[in-house]
Amino acid sequence: MRSVRFALVGLGNLGARFCEMLQDKRAQLGERYGLDLCLVAAADSRGAAYSPAGLDLAQVLALKRAGDSIANYPAFGRVGWGAVDLIAEVEADLLLEASPVNLDRNGEPGLSAVRTALQRGMHVVTPNKGPMVLAYQELHQLAADNGVELRFDGTVAGGLPAINLGQRDLRGAEIRLIEAVPNLVTGYVMDQLAAGLEWDTVLDQARDEGVLEADSSWDLDGWDAAAKLVILVNAVLGLPATLSDVARTGISGVQLSDLKAAKQKGGGYRLLARAEQQEDESYALSVEPSFLSEEHPLGRLGSKGMGVLYETDIYGTLTAIIHEPNPMPSATTMLRDLLDIYL
Amino acid sequence: MRSVRFALVGLGNLGARFCEMLQDKRAQLGERYGLDLCLVAAADSRGAAYSPAGLDLAQVLALKRAGDSIANYPAFGRVGWGAVDLIAEVEADLLLEASPVNLDRNGEPGLSAVRTALQRGMHVVTPNKGPMVLAYQELHQLAADNGVELRFDGTVAGGLPAINLGQRDLRGAEIRLIEAVPNLVTGYVMDQLAAGLEWDTVLDQARDEGVLEADSSWDLDGWDAAAKLVILVNAVLGLPATLSDVARTGISGVQLSDLKAAKQKGGGYRLLARAEQQEDESYALSVEPSFLSEEHPLGRLGSKGMGVLYETDIYGTLTAIIHEPNPMPSATTMLRDLLDIYL
């Protein structure tokens, strides 16, 4: 049995769900793959805890469920211990960086935590788009220089292995077109508007259901979809694209009459992210509310579906879609990435 | 630049297309991946050729286009040189085994060619279902014993990375259900019957278009779909299933009235392969003509589409579909597998 000591930054939606999943699966993963995944350190926004012998998952989850912080983990927790300082100090094989996207604050603390871990020779797995959008090329260089792996399959379209498909299964191909529906809430909002609900009602409803962040601009103005497109383009096409390369249109200007007409035709609107090869072989990058007919491979995703399509020269047109009844798949991409590093 | 010397058995639909693709892409693959893919030996049903310095792809293709055999390749060809003898003699890093499925003759010559290559320490890539269905466990053990890789992503659903998805991207998951539409011609036949054509007319048409083999039973009686299911179950679920474990129903008994009713409802019939987890955690394996509504993720594949669906505990429900306008993707899966071994 090989022990993998990992540190976890972020104990919100993704981090806590990962711990729940691991609690259920730890013994089985040991039997199946000969790996013992041992949480040795964790940080949330209020502090951190570190125990070289391992933290108890049940106790970590009990603290979070009680609305408390990991900082109050008995004996090993410390209030105010920042994620970056923790990672600079901890002895671990791998960092799971699951803090929230924070482009307003230059991707911190996620970006510095990732940088520090890579510099210290730790593998990094992260579903956090912030560091990948802001410093894709730098972080990959840093990983290569330190002989470690950096995985981020969860940054795009939740549990869908969109990056893995493009990077590994389409090797050798020219990719002529990428189309992706990588954001759930914009599709939900447009479906509800088409069904006759008012804009404000729909947004309130989405907030109540926890699918829309307090700062709704990130989703509704297409920043989230654009960030995912930038990561796909860097990872799959190998191009150093940034957010400013994306022609971005959010959903606030979409016409109600268009939404209703689309519904009548049997299709629907989705915030579609596209990278289309041009005659000069460059790619035009866009995020735009788009009508998808029923015939389109991404045209029937439903309210819990996301997808990606690759049009290629030698592998035909490949489409993958995921139905996520809850956010668990987005959290478990960290397991996919982690196992991919060690197996 | 690293040289990969490979031998190719089978110069039919898949083998010749692979050579065409390689002719186009060889220089680009060298630039992109630092690999020079060099064909050193090839065999068809009439003979073989071997040149340690490499065979010329253009010359190989010219022979095949003229209806001639590789046996007549200038200087290096030999009439009657069998594939297995060739592989026993050749100095190569890898075997691409692309001979036709031949379960009537115990999977030969493909099975012996694969066995010989593995025993001699060559990696093997094959889209040939025969060896995988007949000797999955034995061949994998042989590959492990000899420290080489055995890849077969092209055996299931053409260019769709169905096996890769299940083996790699769903690691750690319990797979509750696999559903696959892995055979094109049965869907085509049922669509044409639903559109009002007569059974014999449809079969003649399918033969004329080259999508139905002379021995139509392989496709129509569900053997092809069952073989693909057996490979999926071995590869993804890790269970030693064989053809006799599959409850198999072909399409000849399907009722015309059902096909027409399905069309009116907006869905259609497909020969569906299923592996469904039972209460005792075993899997029920079946191949059966099944109605797929428009709402089913595999319900709108069209006449050139194949797909696979995985229902899991922690990654949601993942579906991948491929649209293959021609058989090229089935041939290029060999490139996918080959690059996966070396990169």
Side-chain angles (χ1 to χ4, degrees):
Chain A
M1 184 77 80
R2 177 171 180 190
S3 174
V4 175
R5 296 160 305 152
F6 71 96
L8 173 60
V9 169
L11 285 163
N13 215 354
L14 298 181
R17 275 180 199 269
F18 182 84
C19 290
E20 278 171 32
M21 182 275 298
L22 186 58
Q23 203 180 14
D24 288 348
K25 295 234 173 202
R26 190 173 173 184
Q28 191 195 43
L29 292 170
E31 281 167 35
R32 203 184 281 186
Y33 303 114
L35 293 175
D36 182 44
L37 307 188
C38 179
L39 176 69
V40 294
D44 60 23
S45 58
R46 289 184 272 165
Y50 172 40
S51 164
L55 301 170
D56 180 52
L57 289 169
Q59 198 145 7
V60 171
L61 286 167
L63 281 168
K64 296 307 292 184
R65 283 191 193 116
D68 202 346
S69 165
I70 187 75
N72 294 319
Y73 190 100
F76 302 110
R78 209 190 304 165
V79 175
W81 198 358
V84 183
D85 292 338
L86 175 77
I87 299 307
E89 193 170 321
V90 73
E91 290 303 317
D93 305 302
L94 183 138
L95 165 65
L96 296 187
E97 207 295 307
S99 65
V101 187
N102 208 328
L103 294 192
D104 290 345
R105 285 192 290 167
N106 293 317
E108 297 301 350
L111 180 53
S112 292
V114 170
R115 221 180 245 140
T116 304
L118 294 173
Q119 281 162 344
R120 294 196 63 214
M122 294 161 69
H123 300 300
V124 172
V125 166
T126 182
N128 180 356
K129 288 173 284 292
M132 287 304 119
V133 167
L134 295 170
Y136 188 96
Q137 302 289 334
E138 178 216 323
L139 294 175
H140 278 77
Q141 191 57 50
L142 201 54
D145 291 347
N146 288 279
V148 290
E149 299 211 44
L150 170 58
R151 298 295 182 102
F152 49 98
D153 194 62
T155 54
V156 176
L160 190 77
I163 293 170
N164 286 355
L165 270 174
Q167 275 192 332
R168 303 183 311 196
D169 295 313
L170 301 181
R171 278 187 187 127
E174 279 304 307
I175 296 174
R176 293 177 180 147
L177 172 67
I178 303 175
E179 287 191 329
V181 176
N183 177 281
L184 276 180
V185 67
T186 46
Y188 168 88
V189 169
M190 289 190 285
D191 282 352
Q192 297 284 27
L193 292 173
L197 273 75
E198 298 290 327
W199 181 259
D200 288 341
T201 314
V202 176
L203 294 199
D204 286 346
Q205 203 170 296
R207 277 199 197 90
D208 286 350
E209 293 182 18
V211 291
L212 188 64
E213 303 293 324
D215 174 14
S216 59
S217 158
W218 173 252
D219 286 309
L220 304 183
D221 293 343
W223 289 108
D224 177 68
K228 288 164 172 171
L229 181 63
V230 164
I231 295 169
L232 266 183
V233 167
N234 274 273
V236 175
L237 302 178
L239 300 174
T242 64
L243 278 175
S244 61
D245 297 318
V246 182
R248 181 183 46 77
T249 308
I251 67 167
S252 60
V254 74
Q255 296 297 312
L256 191 56
S257 54
D258 290 342
L259 294 178
K260 291 190 169 169
K263 196 182 174 190
Q264 277 206 321
K265 278 188 273 184
Y269 268 75
R270 284 294 179 271
L271 190 57
L272 191 67
R274 300 179 98 240
E276 185 169 27
Q277 198 173 34
Q278 308 297 296
E279 278 190 18
D280 65 358
E281 303 207 337
S282 70
Y283 286 80
L285 310 183
S286 64
V287 164
E288 196 174 10
S290 305
F291 171 66
L292 299 179
S293 77
E294 288 185 308
E295 307 303 320
H296 191 288
L298 301 174
R300 301 179 65 86
L301 293 176
S303 62
K304 301 285 186 189
M306 294 182 283
V308 66
L309 172 156
Y310 293 103
E311 192 183 303
T312 75
D313 58 343
I314 57 170
Y315 293 114
T317 298
L318 189 67
T319 305
I321 62 179
I322 192 165
H323 177 80
E324 295 203 8
N326 57 53
M328 184 56 95
S330 298
T332 49
T333 58
M334 292 191 273
L335 180 66
R336 173 187 293 155
D337 280 346
L338 188 157
L339 292 176
D340 218 33
I341 290 174
Y342 285 97
L343 299 180
Chain B
M1 184 77 81
R2 176 172 181 189
S3 174
V4 175
R5 295 161 304 152
F6 71 96
L8 172 61
V9 169
L11 284 163
N13 216 353
L14 297 180
R17 275 180 200 269
F18 183 84
C19 290
E20 278 171 32
M21 181 276 296
L22 187 57
Q23 202 180 15
D24 287 349
K25 296 234 173 202
R26 189 171 173 185
Q28 191 196 42
L29 292 170
E31 281 167 34
R32 204 184 279 185
Y33 303 114
L35 292 176
D36 182 43
L37 306 187
C38 179
L39 175 70
V40 294
D44 60 24
S45 58
R46 290 185 272 165
Y50 172 39
S51 164
L55 300 170
D56 180 52
L57 290 168
Q59 199 145 7
V60 171
L61 287 166
L63 281 168
K64 296 309 290 186
R65 284 191 192 118
D68 202 345
S69 164
I70 188 75
N72 293 319
Y73 190 101
F76 303 111
R78 209 190 305 164
V79 175
W81 198 359
V84 184
D85 292 338
L86 175 77
I87 299 307
E89 193 171 320
V90 74
E91 289 303 318
D93 306 302
L94 183 139
L95 165 65
L96 296 187
E97 207 296 306
S99 65
V101 187
N102 208 327
L103 293 192
D104 291 344
R105 285 191 290 168
N106 293 317
E108 297 301 348
L111 179 54
S112 291
V114 169
R115 221 179 245 141
T116 305
L118 294 173
Q119 281 162 343
R120 295 196 61 214
M122 294 162 69
H123 300 300
V124 172
V125 167
T126 182
N128 180 356
K129 289 174 284 291
M132 289 302 118
V133 167
L134 294 170
Y136 188 97
Q137 302 289 334
E138 177 216 324
L139 294 175
H140 278 77
Q141 191 57 52
L142 201 53
D145 291 346
N146 288 279
V148 291
E149 300 211 43
L150 170 58
R151 299 294 182 101
F152 49 98
D153 194 62
T155 53
V156 177
L160 190 77
I163 293 169
N164 286 355
L165 270 174
Q167 275 191 333
R168 305 184 310 196
D169 295 314
L170 301 181
R171 279 189 187 125
E174 279 305 307
I175 296 174
R176 293 176 180 147
L177 172 67
I178 303 176
E179 286 190 329
V181 176
N183 177 281
L184 276 179
V185 68
T186 45
Y188 167 88
V189 168
M190 288 190 285
D191 282 352
Q192 297 284 21
L193 293 172
L197 274 74
E198 298 290 328
W199 181 258
D200 289 342
T201 314
V202 176
L203 294 199
D204 286 346
Q205 203 170 295
R207 278 199 196 90
D208 287 350
E209 293 181 17
V211 292
L212 188 64
E213 303 292 325
D215 174 13
S216 59
S217 158
W218 173 251
D219 286 309
L220 303 183
D221 292 343
W223 290 107
D224 176 68
K228 289 165 172 171
L229 181 63
V230 164
I231 295 171
L232 266 183
V233 167
N234 275 274
V236 175
L237 301 179
L239 299 174
T242 65
L243 278 174
S244 60
D245 298 318
V246 182
R248 180 183 46 77
T249 308
I251 67 167
S252 60
V254 73
Q255 295 298 312
L256 192 55
S257 54
D258 289 342
L259 294 178
K260 289 189 171 168
K263 196 183 174 190
Q264 277 206 320
K265 279 189 271 183
Y269 268 74
R270 285 293 180 272
L271 190 56
L272 191 67
R274 299 179 99 241
E276 186 168 26
Q277 198 173 35
Q278 308 297 297
E279 278 190 19
D280 66 357
E281 303 209 337
S282 71
Y283 287 80
L285 310 184
S286 63
V287 163
E288 196 175 8
S290 305
F291 172 65
L292 299 179
S293 77
E294 288 185 308
E295 307 303 320
H296 191 288
L298 301 174
R300 302 181 64 86
L301 292 176
S303 62
K304 301 284 186 189
M306 293 181 284
V308 66
L309 173 155
Y310 293 104
E311 192 183 303
T312 75
D313 59 343
I314 57 169
Y315 294 113
T317 297
L318 189 67
T319 306
I321 62 178
I322 193 166
H323 177 79
E324 295 203 7
N326 57 53
M328 184 57 95
S330 297
T332 50
T333 58
M334 291 191 273
L335 179 67
R336 174 187 293 154
D337 280 345
L338 188 157
L339 292 176
D340 218 32
I341 290 174
Y342 285 98
L343 298 179

